[in-house]
């Protein structure tokens, strides 16, 4: 099947192979997304593959695959300045959640909650 896949022009891959719940094509994904789809370590196997050439079988948690990769784009390093707003927002959310939980605990100490017996 690899010679068929590597033929030019590229054949229609819809009719080749076994169908599964996995996506037939992953256009753009972070390594963690690839790992989430195909299992631990699959993203690392893709790093060593040649560009624009079908190869395989490549093992994953779901079995063996024939794969091709167009390119790998390395994500830019995120500096604290770039993440400052998200970090601040998450910190404030976490502090608000903790304050709400503490308030609920304090209020619960002043009340008795009685439930009617539904069998009566």
């Amino acid at each position: 099947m690899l010679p068929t896949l590597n033929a030019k022009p590229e054949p229609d891959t819809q009719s080749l192979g076994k169908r599964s719940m996995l996506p037939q094509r992953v256009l753009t994904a972070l390594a963690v997304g690839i790992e989430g789809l195909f299992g631990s370590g699959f993203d690392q196997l893709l790093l060593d593959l040649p560009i624009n050439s079908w190869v395989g079988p490549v093992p994953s948690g779901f079995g063996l695959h024939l794969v091709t990769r167009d390119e790998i784009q390395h994500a830019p390093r995120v500096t604290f300045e770039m993440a400052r707003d998200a970090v601040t927002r998450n910190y404030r959310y976490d502090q608000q959640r903790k304050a709400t939980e503490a308030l609920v605990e304090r209020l619960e100490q002043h009340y008795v909650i009685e439930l009617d017996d539904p069998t009566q």
Side-chain angles (χ1 to χ4, degrees):
M1 188 177 301
L2 285 174
T4 301
L5 289 169
N6 284 313
K8 301 298 181 205
E10 186 175 313
D12 176 23
T13 57
Q14 296 284 337
S15 61
L16 301 173
K18 294 180 182 177
R19 303 298 295 158
S20 75
M21 297 296 287
L22 295 171
Q24 184 172 8
R25 184 175 295 256
V26 178
L27 297 178
T28 302
L30 297 173
V32 69
I34 297 290
E35 193 170 278
L37 284 171
F38 294 95
S40 179
F42 193 80
D43 59 312
Q44 292 299 310
L45 295 174
L46 298 179
L47 293 175
D48 296 329
L49 298 182
I51 294 176
N52 295 324
S53 180
W54 285 90
V55 296
V58 179
S60 82
F62 293 98
L64 300 174
H65 309 273
L66 300 178
V67 299
T68 185
R69 93 182 152 112
D70 299 328
E71 64 179 326
I72 288 187
Q73 296 177 348
H74 297 283
R77 288 187 178 250
V78 177
T79 65
F80 179 72
E81 291 304 318
M82 295 166 69
R84 179 185 299 271
D85 290 343
V87 170
T88 301
R89 185 174 48 254
N90 290 343
Y91 175 78
R92 288 180 179 158
Y93 171 80
D94 192 49
Q95 294 301 305
Q96 181 65 44
R97 185 183 52 77
K98 287 177 182 177
T100 301
E101 287 174 1
L103 174 63
V104 169
E105 286 179 18
R106 283 195 311 272
L107 290 173
E108 285 176 338
Q109 293 174 1
H110 300 306
Y111 296 92
V112 175
I113 300 174
E114 295 178 6
L115 299 176
D116 291 335
D117 186 356
T119 59
Q120 293 180 349

